[in-house]
Amino acid sequence: FADMWLPVNWSADPALWLGVCKILIEKGWIDTEFIKEQTDSPVLVRSDDHRFLRAADLTEGGDPEQFYALNSANNELVQMPKGSLTPPCDYALDAEREVKLKDGKTVRVTTVFSLLRKRLADYTPEKVHEISGIHPKDLQKLAELCKPPRKVFVFVNWNAGKLYHGDLLERSYCYMLALTGNIGKAGTGTRGWSAGAEYIGGAAVVGGMPRQVLE
């Protein structure tokens, strides 16, 4: 029994969820405080090598594990705390600017959130319909069902973990969970399954095999 049944075309689940994420962002149906504190969305990324901007990029002997965000009040660089997730200021989510590197060159940096938003631009309701077979009205309804403060839990069990590129399928709906703050709270999150060594090793059919076979 279900409130909605969406017969998604084979392997098109990522397109479905990326389309949902596009709607969530455009409608403002996201948990911005959660995103800023609990995800890498405000972290700055270099446009030249697509890596996180680090202190080692800015000064000689700088910390290669020190990352940066932008202060929404003035668009200035701010170091992200390494010992706490609490932001020292209000991080900018959708922003970019140029920074001067230690070699004197300048490079444009932008946030992970901006890059995600740019990536989602391709997943219009019409495009998602073409790829997944799900009508735009149903896509809109699904997105609205994920709107905060509703609690969302994704159960895939023996599905994505058994598929080639299943990790990308899982990542697509994890974006939705992250954008809506549905992680780390009762009634939220996801449950998947993959036949890991610890599971297989504990199976009776495996445990009863000769030692040379097990080795």
Side-chain angles (χ1 to χ4, degrees):
F1 297 91
D3 295 306
M4 288 185 73
W5 176 64
L6 301 176
V8 185
N9 290 341
W10 174 249
S11 79
D13 301 70
L16 175 77
W17 286 113
L18 293 178
V20 166
C21 289
K22 176 177 170 63
I23 293 173
L24 291 172
I25 291 176
E26 289 180 346
K27 295 285 189 179
W29 295 343
I30 58 177
D31 188 336
T32 54
E33 295 308 310
F34 179 90
I35 294 170
K36 291 177 182 180
E37 181 185 273
Q38 296 290 325
T39 79
D40 64 358
S41 295
V43 183
L44 292 177
V45 180
R46 293 174 50 157
S47 61
D48 55 349
D49 60 10
H50 309 294
R51 290 170 57 85
F52 288 147
L53 179 69
R54 305 159 190 265
D57 299 330
L58 304 177
T59 58
E60 202 64 50
D63 187 350
E65 295 183 356
Q66 176 62 64
F67 303 127
Y68 290 85
L70 290 175
N71 188 331
S72 66
N74 52 24
N75 211 39
E76 292 297 320
L77 291 179
V78 58
Q79 290 189 343
M80 306 185 79
K82 295 174 65 177
S84 168
L85 291 178
T86 304
C89 64
D90 181 46
Y91 292 148
L93 272 182
D94 199 3
E96 65 176 12
R97 60 161 288 174
E98 288 189 343
V99 298
K100 188 173 183 180
L101 304 178
K102 61 185 179 184
D103 60 6
K105 296 179 181 178
T106 58
V107 64
R108 183 158 290 276
V109 294
T110 190
T111 64
V112 170
F113 183 84
S114 294
L115 293 175
L116 174 61
R117 189 169 190 169
K118 182 178 180 181
R119 184 72 179 89
L120 295 176
D122 294 335
Y123 293 91
T124 62
E126 294 72 26
K127 186 66 175 179
V128 172
H129 187 197
E130 177 186 332
I131 297 172
S132 70
I134 302 304
H135 194 276
K137 289 184 179 179
D138 288 328
L139 187 71
Q140 172 79 19
K141 184 177 179 181
L142 178 60
E144 192 160 1
L145 285 172
C146 298
K147 175 184 176 181
R150 175 187 286 269
K151 290 185 176 181
V152 181
F153 178 82
V154 179
F155 180 79
V156 293
N157 204 31
W158 293 24
N159 188 346
K162 298 169 71 98
L163 298 176
Y164 187 58
H165 289 322
D167 60 320
L168 299 181
L169 189 162
E170 292 177 319
R171 185 175 297 179
S172 65
Y173 65 70
C174 283
Y175 280 135
M176 176 276 295
L177 293 173
L179 287 171
T180 55
N182 276 292
I183 300 172
K185 307 167 189 173
T188 68
T190 180
R191 183 187 186 280
W193 181 89
S194 180
E198 72 287 346
Y199 178 87
I200 295 174
V205 66
V206 176
M209 290 179 178
R211 180 176 176 181
Q212 61 268 31
V213 175
L214 290 174
E215 291 177 351

